[in-house]
Amino acid sequence: MILGHIGARKGSKGVPRKNFRMMQGKPLIDWSLDQLLEHPMVDAVVVSTDDEEIHDHAITKGCLKIGLRPAHLATDTAGKWGVWQHALEASERLIGPVEAFLDLDCTSPLRLPEDITAALELFRAERPDMVMSCCEARKNPYFNLVEPDATGALHVSKPLPGGVVARQQAPVVYEHAASTYVVDPAYLKRSKGLWEGRVIPYLMPPERCVDIDTPFDFRLVEFLMQEAMP
């Protein structure tokens, strides 16, 4: 049993009500929600939200009916982990035990269906606590990420003996891409956060990892989706 999940909070300071804002002819959430509902490996889908319109929209499309999320999980400071735990518990009361908890971030609509398949297959092959979508970071803390010291002078964030004079010499660093996650339900239930267990990367190209957090991001994703459409 694979449970697909999307978290869609009502509030958003960067882009007001972005999760239900129209993107290329349909609400932003539907670009991810439709991928879950149509994917042959996903058995059930749930949307965790504090927005009655999004909740009713999800139920109409065939998602599990778990009600609105609790108020303490609908604040600016509420993290993914608590939302995931609540959604899993509420869903298992309806459908029974779950083998894998698959979360798609609805603010990252550029993933492809094959990304979902590949992430699930990686989870089944490696049996980690979690598979997390990543892309190779554009900036590297061993080479071109810097931070000031107490005097204001800049230094490489993670210096190595002898220094790094070319990016190719620096250790590989990945960027956590808020797109696609596959979580072992037992790990989700017993842990307090993402990093307590064995978390492995599912690598995606950076052009499919753009996350909408600002009006500029929204315009950028809209442009990239227009480019990709036949």
Side-chain angles (χ1 to χ4, degrees):
M1 170 67 71
I2 295 177
L3 174 65
H5 169 269
I6 290 178
R9 195 168 60 85
K10 184 176 184 177
S12 173
K13 292 181 178 179
V15 182
R17 211 151 181 273
K18 64 183 175 184
N19 293 324
F20 212 54
R21 183 171 169 176
M22 296 301 290
M23 167 72 75
Q24 293 297 299
K26 61 183 182 180
L28 177 62
I29 188 175
D30 279 4
W31 289 99
S32 298
L33 184 54
D34 289 346
Q35 286 185 336
L36 287 178
L37 291 168
E38 295 168 6
H39 199 284
M41 296 175 71
V42 177
D43 301 293
V45 179
V46 65
V47 171
S48 172
T49 184
D50 60 329
D51 187 313
E52 290 186 5
E53 187 176 9
I54 292 177
H55 172 267
D56 293 345
H57 176 75
I59 299 305
T60 299
K61 290 177 74 72
C63 296
L64 298 176
K65 190 174 183 179
I66 64 168
L68 298 178
R69 70 170 66 166
H72 72 280
L73 295 176
T75 67
D76 288 344
T77 57
K80 281 182 181 290
W81 203 252
V83 171
W84 288 357
Q85 288 177 324
H86 171 262
L88 175 62
E89 180 182 2
S91 298
E92 287 194 323
R93 286 199 294 265
L94 298 176
I95 61 175
V98 169
E99 173 195 353
F101 183 88
L102 166 66
D103 175 80
L104 301 187
D105 197 314
C106 64
T107 60
S108 296
L110 295 170
R111 89 183 62 72
L112 298 177
E114 45 261 48
D115 289 318
I116 298 173
T117 302
L120 288 170
E121 290 179 344
L122 178 61
F123 178 78
R124 284 182 172 174
E126 297 292 331
R127 303 308 301 179
D129 291 310
M130 175 163 54
V131 169
M132 171 187 291
S133 54
C134 295
C135 60
E136 189 168 348
R138 292 183 300 115
K139 300 292 184 179
N140 193 302
Y142 297 95
F143 176 56
N144 56 4
L145 281 181
V146 297
E147 54 190 77
D149 63 18
T151 71
L154 294 176
H155 302 273
V156 172
S157 292
K158 297 185 72 172
L160 292 176
V164 175
V165 297
R167 182 182 177 90
Q168 293 77 10
Q169 297 175 337
V172 174
V173 176
Y174 297 134
E175 181 179 331
H176 171 193
S179 172
T180 308
Y181 307 81
V182 188
V183 191
D184 182 335
Y187 174 63
L188 180 54
K189 292 173 184 177
R190 71 174 183 265
S191 302
K192 296 180 180 179
L194 274 68
W195 307 108
E196 292 184 10
R198 181 172 177 251
V199 180
I200 66 173
Y202 166 63
L203 293 181
M204 296 173 61
E207 63 269 19
R208 297 210 297 271
C209 293
V210 182
D211 183 49
I212 298 175
D213 193 46
T214 67
F216 172 77
D217 297 332
F218 199 96
R219 294 195 301 271
L220 175 59
V221 170
E222 200 164 31
F223 170 76
L224 291 172
M225 294 187 86
Q226 284 178 331
E227 287 249 305
M229 288 182 174

